[in-house]
Every structure is written in C-alpha cells, then in structure tokens.
Amino acid sequence: MTAHREDRAAEQAADTSGGLPSSAGSLSPSFDIDGTVAEFLAATADSWADLTAMDSRSRRIVDAARDCFAEVGFEETTMVRIAELAGVGVATVYRRFGTKSALVRYALMAESQRVGMVMAEAVRRSAGPVSALAEMFAAFVGEANSPRLLTRSLRVSSAADQLTSFVTGDEFIAQGRGVVARFLSHWQRCGELGDFETEVVAELFVRLTMSFISNPRGVLPLDDAAAAKQFARRFLAPLLFPHPGARPANAE
C-alpha cells in the first residue's frame, strides 16, 4: 500500500511539473520551487488513505459524485447521474458505496485533494515563503467564493452535518496539519524560514481554513484575489516568523 501511494504521488508530481513558467528562474536562488511543489503534491496525494487505496473504478465514482454535488447540489444528484458520469452501471455504484450519503465523505476527501492541487499550482507564481503564502491563500479564497465549490453546495443541503463533521474532525485537522507542516519544513531546510515548530504553525493555518469552509461570511475584505493577498501578507505572514528578530533576507 505504501509503495502504491508513493507511485501515485510521483505520477501526480510529474503530471504537473511540465507547466513550470520560464520566469521561475527569477526566484530566490535557494528556493527550490520544483522541490517545494513536488513535496506539497506528494503530501497531498499521500493523505486520505481511503482514497489512495481505491481502484480506478471506485475513484471515478467518487470524482463523479463530487462533480455532481458541486454542480447541481446534493438533493438534485441521483445515483443514476453519478453512474452515468463515472461510466459505470448504477448497480456498481450501489454495490460499492451503498447510498448517496455514503459518498459524501469520499467526495469531500477528493475535493480537499483537488483544492490542494490548486494551491500547489499557485506556489509556482511565488518568489519565496511569504509570496507563496499569499498566492496559496488567494487561491483558497477564490475556491471558497466559487459557486461550484463542493463545500459551498453541501453547506445548504441535508448533507450539511456530514460536512461539519468532516471539516471539524480529527482526521481533517491531522491531514491538513501534516501537509502544511511538510511544506514549512521544506522552507526551513532551504534556509528561507527560521527554526520553529512547524506543526503548531501548520495547525493554525488549518483551523483558519476550517472557519472559512464552515462560514465564509464576515468583515474580512477577501472578496478578490488582491485583497486576499494583502490580508495574507499583513496578518498571516507573521505566523511564519514566530520568534523575535529580523526576517531572513531571502524570505520574500
């Protein structure tokens, strides 16, 4: 199983590495953008072992359910429609998952992976950890404000309790913390960040993410990418430098 997850992570990293902009050469010399994105993708792919263990047919069903829930909502989605989109018989869907509600948790896992990939692509436009944080946060806010976002469609459905249980559960926190901590550790090894407990800072980011998913409304000026980036630089970037003292010269 471990070997299978590693192979899949490597494939996903390879699939996305070809689109690296030529402008990447302008990044800080010590900032290994390919390595950082590859680690992020590997950590994302390695999360949610239940998904990783699925065969291709079951994964197609999960992805189809995710797309249907996002496009037409939980109530309007039928098992027949999921089967059609996945290219399988409806009996196969019932045999493998039993009910539509049973698919929600797996669809949420798949959505968290997809958003992780979107955020990883945002890192390609960064010039260091602070810029990467701003790009990632702006990408996440853009997803949260999208009418197609799975979590947004589930929030107002009869599956809302499952959404709440998923994003507030120990597994979601642990998976998110592990991915972000791995990302921060990479920057530390590159000398971009100082010595601090990455899992503590990572969990702060994950819990902030949880609050946006649960209830995105509020007074924070996050209605566009520029505002989100400015917010991240002003209020979130200090979390990357928790100890007194000057920031590393190459942090930006």
Side-chain angles (χ1 to χ4, degrees):
M1 184 64 67
T2 300
H4 176 68
R5 289 201 296 266
E6 290 174 350
D7 289 345
R8 183 170 178 180
E11 290 174 0
Q12 288 175 319
D15 287 344
T16 57
S17 62
L20 186 65
S22 59
S23 60
S26 63
L27 300 179
S28 170
S30 64
F31 188 76
D32 179 8
I33 191 69
D34 272 336
T36 301
V37 172
E39 286 207 12
F40 189 86
L41 291 174
T44 301
D46 199 44
S47 63
W48 306 121
D50 288 351
L51 275 185
T52 307
M54 286 183 177
D55 60 28
S56 60
R57 182 172 297 183
S58 290
R59 184 57 195 259
R60 288 204 312 272
I61 294 171
V62 168
D63 289 341
R66 179 199 63 194
D67 292 344
C68 287
F69 294 157
E71 290 175 7
V72 301
F74 179 77
E75 265 75 28
E76 298 301 319
T77 294
T78 65
M79 295 290 262
V80 171
R81 176 56 183 150
I82 292 172
E84 290 175 349
L85 192 59
V88 300
V90 68
T92 300
V93 179
Y94 278 109
R95 184 169 59 252
R96 295 192 175 213
F97 295 96
T99 66
K100 184 172 65 173
S101 293
L103 276 163
V104 171
R105 180 172 177 271
Y106 294 107
L108 285 168
M109 291 180 187
E111 179 69 358
S112 69
Q113 284 188 335
R114 187 191 68 80
V115 173
M117 299 303 177
V118 171
M119 293 169 67
E121 285 300 315
V123 174
R124 296 185 188 279
R125 301 189 292 271
S126 68
V130 174
S131 295
L133 174 63
E135 292 287 351
M136 289 170 63
F137 188 71
F140 174 78
V141 168
E143 287 290 314
N145 287 327
S146 170
R148 283 173 53 89
L149 184 71
L150 172 61
T151 52
R152 187 170 179 177
S153 65
L154 285 183
R155 198 181 298 124
V156 294
S157 75
S158 60
D161 287 346
Q162 287 179 265
L163 168 63
T164 300
S165 177
F166 180 83
V167 300
T168 60
D170 293 343
E171 190 177 11
F172 179 87
I173 295 174
Q175 296 287 7
R177 182 178 61 232
V179 170
V180 177
R182 189 169 177 175
F183 208 32
L184 295 176
S185 295
H186 179 91
W187 281 324
Q188 287 181 329
R189 292 194 301 271
C190 291
E192 302 277 352
L193 295 175
D195 182 23
F196 60 85
E197 295 179 81
T198 57
E199 288 207 344
V200 172
V201 174
E203 185 164 318
L204 290 173
F205 286 124
V206 172
R207 291 186 179 277
L208 177 65
T209 300
M210 288 167 54
S211 70
F212 276 105
I213 294 174
S214 300
N215 185 357
R217 296 182 297 276
V219 298
L220 300 181
L222 304 176
D223 54 343
D224 60 57
K229 290 178 185 178
Q230 184 177 15
F231 174 87
R233 287 179 175 276
R234 182 176 181 184
F235 295 105
L236 302 183
L239 292 173
L240 300 177
F241 306 93
H243 297 303
R247 296 183 179 185
N250 57 355
E252 290 290 343

